[in-house]
Amino acid sequence: MEIHARYGGVVPELASRRHIETVGFVVDEALKAAGKSLDDITAVAVTKGPGLIGSLLVGISYAKSIAYSKNIPLVAVNHLKGHIFAAMIENDVPYPFISLLVSGGHTALYLVKDHNDITLLGATRDDAAGEAFDNASKIVGLGYPGGIIIDRLSKSGRADFHKFPRAMISKNTFDFSFSGLKTSFRNYITGETNEYLEKNLSDIAASFQEAVVDVLVSKAFKAVDKYNVKGLVVSGGVAANSRLRERFYEAGEEKRVNVYIPSKALCTDNAAMIGVAGYLDLGSGTTEYLTLNALSRYYI
Amino acid sequence: MPKKLAFTSFNLSNTKKIGNMLGALLAAGDIVSLNGELGAGKTTIAKAISTGLGLKSDHYVVSPTFAIINEYHADVKIYHFDFYRLGDPSELDGIGAYEYFQSDGVCLIEWGDKFADALPKERLDVLLEHAGARQRTITFSPHGKRYAKIVDDLKISVENL
């Protein structure tokens, strides 16, 4: 994390080099913590995409070599599916359910009828929710990671201090848009004095955060209504936001919908979610190791 | 140095039309650097350029800030970059940027001016500047003959808007 924070994000070249350096240690550490050895492993799950080719290839090459040496199946996993099924690690979520995936790069709603029957209902048309947090933090000069900074600051702020636009909240679509909110936030900030901003920073942060969370809550429950499901899974890095968790649990109670949000460590990118998604899709495992390739562009 | 061309766009739909027209003039192998501060409209114009290149409306062109590179497949491939989170030009090699620059697609590069020296010498620079809440000044600076011609053609299209 420190290496990423210093550069304001995941710096790809650096990241793929770090992947090469650390993948072996991380796998050894995980096996040790689980009290297992490689001989106990019966299949290997690995992220196929979407993502940066360089980083993906490191994982795929490493996974291929384990699978080949142990002669066990290799399961290719879509990173986005990993986020959706992260909820299955701590809960047995019955199908069908609605999944809201919110992260730095993705904001999407899915109808999940089975682990292999997933329909995209809507997605962001411009910026992802996580990016909105990062941008807002940058605009007020607070740096990275924006989500955590805004979250912390908002705890002592008033969410109704300023009304930022709720983009596409009332339109008849499951798509999202956060670009207008970014511009509106920027215009608001540039129109105020530094003294005013400093004095009201936590109120402004809380108001911004509320605008993002409002849209997410409203769209997700609209999808739950429309498809008449009983469960809602919220996952991805932004689902670690404490106000978001609070609002989703509250709304779930009020509307009698079972809301499942993985614990914070399982919301941000992690390998356990790839493991569980791979486990659900074990049938697609292959020993034709050479056919598996990384895909930078890989949708559900 | 070929002539720069500057327009004032009065609203979003104006900016989109200019982007569409530019997209219609581009072809495989072209490089466009999209510059301007946060919220200036770099992703908006990238989206409009992609539409002009023939990308269907069911493909959502989204911000590549997090992903660094998004790929779209229209009649030509579109490689949509964002250098915002990169710290150093040496990182371009690691993301395969030089291979993308030499490839069969159109490269649209947000924050390309961060590493202008690392970009191909022949390219089109587009600068978007806030000139009010909705209004933007859009400046096209061609580098090389091909891009000077594109800007000349764009001028004619926009004047007939």
Side-chain angles (χ1 to χ4, degrees):
Chain A
M1 190 62 205
E2 194 203 312
I3 196 162
H4 288 162
R6 222 181 323 139
Y7 290 93
V10 178
V11 178
E13 196 271 342
L14 204 60
S16 70
R17 188 174 296 164
R18 289 286 284 164
H19 278 124
I20 295 172
E21 288 169 7
T22 52
V23 65
F25 296 110
V26 171
V27 172
D28 289 348
E29 196 63 36
L31 286 167
K32 213 164 101 190
K36 303 281 179 196
S37 83
L38 268 187
D39 292 329
D40 300 314
I41 303 302
T42 54
V44 182
V46 66
T47 308
K48 179 184 169 83
L52 282 167
I53 289 288
S55 300
L56 292 170
L57 284 175
V58 174
I60 287 178
S61 309
Y62 197 79
K64 277 181 180 175
S65 60
I66 295 177
Y68 181 74
S69 68
K70 297 289 168 193
N71 195 27
I72 50 177
L74 186 62
V75 185
V77 176
N78 183 311
H79 174 80
L80 307 176
K81 269 191 170 184
H83 275 302
I84 295 174
F85 295 110
M88 297 288 198
I89 298 173
E90 296 157 314
N91 286 287
D92 202 358
V93 184
Y95 298 109
F97 60 83
I98 293 292
S99 155
L100 170 68
L101 200 170
V102 273
S103 69
H106 302 277
T107 301
L109 274 168
Y110 301 95
L111 171 62
V112 185
K113 290 187 182 160
D114 185 57
H115 75 271
N116 263 332
D117 185 351
I118 304 175
T119 312
L120 176 68
L121 305 177
T124 183
R125 293 193 183 174
D126 39 56
D127 300 349
E131 194 181 342
F133 279 105
D134 278 339
N135 284 329
S137 178
K138 189 98 184 176
I139 288 167
V140 292
L142 291 173
Y144 180 89
I148 292 170
I149 294 166
I150 302 269
D151 187 354
R152 200 170 48 212
L153 208 54
S154 297
K155 284 185 179 152
S156 56
R158 277 173 40 214
D160 60 352
F161 179 75
H162 183 84
K163 180 101 177 163
F164 290 107
R166 269 67 172 161
M168 309 186 81
I169 200 165
S170 54
K171 286 198 193 151
N172 203 16
T173 159
F174 289 115
D175 284 345
F176 299 87
S177 167
F178 292 104
S179 175
L181 173 60
K182 168 180 68 189
T183 307
S184 152
F185 187 74
R186 184 198 164 277
N187 289 342
Y188 174 74
I189 297 296
T190 44
E192 301 291 352
T193 63
N194 281 345
E195 195 188 0
Y196 176 88
L197 295 176
E198 237 163 75
K199 192 172 141 235
N200 300 299
L201 197 55
S202 50
D203 291 336
I204 295 167
S207 301
F208 174 84
Q209 175 174 272
E210 206 67 8
V212 177
V213 172
D214 258 359
V215 174
L216 297 174
V217 169
S218 144
K219 293 258 175 192
F221 281 96
K222 204 187 266 178
V224 167
D225 265 357
K226 178 164 179 193
Y227 294 95
N228 197 22
V229 300
K230 295 190 175 59
L232 170 63
V233 166
V234 187
S235 57
V238 177
N241 178 282
S242 48
R243 180 64 178 151
L244 176 143
R245 298 172 82 91
E246 186 178 87
R247 289 279 312 274
F248 269 97
Y249 285 132
E250 274 173 19
E253 235 166 75
E254 187 194 312
K255 296 174 198 287
R256 295 176 188 280
V257 172
N258 297 314
V259 172
Y260 305 91
I261 311 178
S263 52
K264 291 186 182 182
L266 294 172
C267 283
T268 47
D269 287 352
N270 66 86
M273 69 185 199
I274 302 303
V276 77
Y279 174 75
L280 292 171
D281 206 16
L282 212 48
S284 76
T286 176
T287 46
E288 300 285 320
Y289 306 121
L290 293 178
T291 57
L292 175 59
N293 208 346
L295 274 183
S296 65
R297 189 173 167 277
Y298 189 27
Y299 303 119
I300 297 180
Chain B
M1 178 95 172
K3 251 169 87 182
K4 284 186 183 184
L5 175 65
F7 299 113
T8 300
S9 166
F10 293 98
N11 52 42
L12 192 61
S13 85
N14 227 213
T15 301
K16 283 182 183 168
K17 275 183 195 150
I18 295 170
N20 290 161
M21 287 168 179
L22 174 58
L25 296 168
L26 295 175
D30 283 342
I31 312 277
V32 181
S33 170
L34 302 170
N35 311 312
E37 59 183 87
L38 223 56
K42 297 180 293 298
T43 302
T44 300
I45 203 162
K47 205 181 282 231
I49 293 171
S50 302
T51 306
L53 277 162
L55 189 71
K56 301 278 184 295
S57 61
D58 57 342
H59 287 76
Y60 291 175
V61 173
V62 298
S63 166
T65 302
F66 188 84
I68 314 284
I69 304 168
N70 284 333
E71 294 185 17
Y72 300 97
H73 296 190
D75 297 335
V76 289
K77 287 182 177 155
I78 301 167
Y79 304 120
H80 186 192
F81 289 75
D82 193 331
F83 288 177
Y84 184 64
R85 298 197 305 140
L86 301 184
D88 188 280
S90 68
E91 286 154 15
L92 294 177
D93 194 29
I95 61 168
Y98 299 112
E99 283 143 64
Y100 282 108
F101 294 162
Q102 300 293 325
S103 75
D104 56 347
V106 172
C107 291
L108 306 176
I109 308 162
E110 298 193 21
W111 296 95
D113 57 350
K114 265 184 90 167
F115 310 125
D117 290 345
L119 296 178
K121 287 211 165 49
E122 304 226 334
R123 64 173 192 273
L124 178 61
D125 287 344
V126 180
L127 176 64
L128 296 121
E129 291 167 295
H130 287 270
R134 288 197 170 73
Q135 205 162 309
R136 299 286 186 275
T137 304
I138 311 176
T139 309
F140 297 86
S141 310
H143 301 269
K145 265 192 205 152
R146 157 139 186 91
Y147 297 96
K149 170 84 170 63
I150 289 173
V151 171
D152 281 345
D153 291 348
L154 182 66
K155 185 166 189 263
I156 296 165
S157 302
V158 175
E159 277 167 0
N160 290 327
L161 190 76

